[in-house]
Amino acid sequence: WRRRGWRRDHDGVVESTVAESDSSKSMWGRLSEGVCRRAFSSPEAFLYEATIAVALSRVMLPALEPHVRGRRVLDVGSGGGRLATAICGDCSLVGVDPSWPQVRRFFRRVQGRAVTIQAEGEALPFPADAFDTVYSSCVYKHWQHPALAMRECARVLRPGGTLITVEIDGAASPAQFRRFADQSRVPVGLRAGYVRFAMRTVVGVAPSEDGLRCGFDNIDVSDLRVDRMTDMPFLVATATAS
C-alpha cells in the first residue's frame, strides 16, 4: 500500500499519502458536482434505498424528531419516505422531492398517511406561512442553489415555526464516515471503498459548520443553532421563523 502511495488508518479506511495533482482535484470536483447537484435517477434511487437509506433514517430520526412541532409538516427532499413514515404520526405531512422514482416510492411506502409532490426545493409549490415545521435531511448539498432553497423553506414556514436542516459535515473525518458506513447495508467488503468515494464526493461538496450557518444568513429566522452529531459525520441546524 505505501509503495503505491496509500495508507490504512486504525479504522481500516484507506487514504492517499501523496498530494493530489490539480487535474485530479478538478476531476473529483466535477464528479462531486455530477453526483450531488441533481435529482437521483431510477438506478441511483434504487441503490440508495437498498444500501444507505435505512441507516440514514435511523440516524436522522433522533436528530429531527425532538424539533418537529405542530400539525403541518413539510419534508423537503423526502426521498423514498422512510423518515416521513416515522415522523408523520398524528401530523399532516407533505413530502417534496425532484426525483420521480423517489416520489413513487414515497407514495407506496406511506400508504395515504402523507402526501408527496414532485418539486424542487428552490421552487416550493406552496403559499407563504403554510407549515409549522419544515425540515430537510441530507438535501442541502443536492440543491443547485442552496441559498434560494433555504429562502423557500423559510417562506413557507409560519412565524414561530421551526426550520431544521441536517446535512453531512464537510469537515467530517474518514473514521466518522466509516462509523456511519458500518450502520449501512453497504456490503462489508465494499465499505472502505464507499468511504473513500464518499469523502471525495458528498463530503467534498457538503458545508462546513460555518458554511451551514451562512445558509441562514439571508432568511428571517432567530435562535439559530448548529451542532455536530456525536460520533457521526452530520451537522444539525435548527432555527425559528420570525
Side-chain angles (χ1 to χ4, degrees):
W1 285 101
R2 287 188 181 276
R3 287 198 301 272
R4 297 179 61 187
W6 298 89
R7 66 178 172 82
R8 187 182 296 272
D9 71 10
H10 67 280
D11 283 316
V13 177
V14 180
E15 299 176 86
S16 175
T17 62
V18 297
E20 293 180 291
S21 68
D22 289 342
S23 61
S24 175
K25 290 179 181 178
S26 176
M27 178 194 73
W28 282 106
R30 290 194 300 270
L31 180 59
S32 297
E33 292 292 323
V35 167
C36 296
R37 302 295 190 192
R38 57 181 175 79
F40 281 173
S41 66
S42 185
E44 288 168 333
F46 174 82
L47 186 61
Y48 172 82
E49 290 289 324
T51 58
I52 305 301
V54 172
L56 196 61
S57 61
R58 186 185 305 125
V59 171
M60 294 296 109
L61 186 60
L64 286 167
E65 205 167 29
H67 304 290
V68 175
R69 296 178 175 85
R71 289 192 51 80
R72 301 169 299 165
V73 178
L74 176 64
D75 181 339
V76 182
S78 51
R82 290 184 185 276
L83 267 176
T85 301
I87 286 175
C88 59
D90 295 328
C91 70
S92 176
L93 189 145
V94 178
V96 298
D97 199 280
S99 170
W100 180 242
Q102 291 292 65
V103 168
R104 287 183 299 180
R105 189 172 279 107
F106 183 112
F107 180 79
R108 292 194 299 268
R109 179 169 282 129
V110 301
Q111 297 182 345
R113 287 176 290 165
V115 176
T116 181
I117 298 170
Q118 186 180 18
E120 300 280 350
E122 294 93 334
L124 296 173
F126 309 108
D129 306 338
F131 296 96
D132 301 308
T133 297
V134 176
Y135 73 84
S136 63
S137 169
C138 291
V139 180
Y140 189 99
K141 64 184 175 299
H142 290 294
W143 288 326
Q144 290 281 350
H145 306 286
L148 177 57
M150 291 295 286
R151 286 199 297 271
E152 278 290 275
C153 289
R155 179 185 65 81
V156 302
L157 189 60
R158 68 163 178 80
T162 305
L163 178 58
I164 317 162
T165 303
V166 185
E167 186 50 90
I168 290 173
D169 183 356
S173 69
Q176 287 175 313
F177 213 93
R178 180 57 192 250
R179 280 193 285 272
F180 171 71
D182 285 340
Q183 294 197 24
S184 75
R185 293 179 176 175
V186 175
V188 173
L190 299 179
R191 288 179 189 171
Y194 165 66
V195 172
R196 290 201 303 274
F197 179 78
M199 293 300 297
R200 303 269 197 152
T201 54
V202 292
V203 176
V205 298
S208 64
E209 182 177 349
D210 288 340
L212 190 56
R213 285 183 181 277
C214 288
F216 290 77
D217 279 353
N218 297 313
I219 58 178
D220 195 11
V221 295
S222 60
D223 303 322
L224 173 62
R225 178 169 178 167
V226 181
D227 296 306
R228 282 193 164 88
M229 197 178 293
T230 304
D231 296 328
M232 284 287 162
F234 302 103
L235 299 169
V236 183
T238 59
T240 302
S242 300

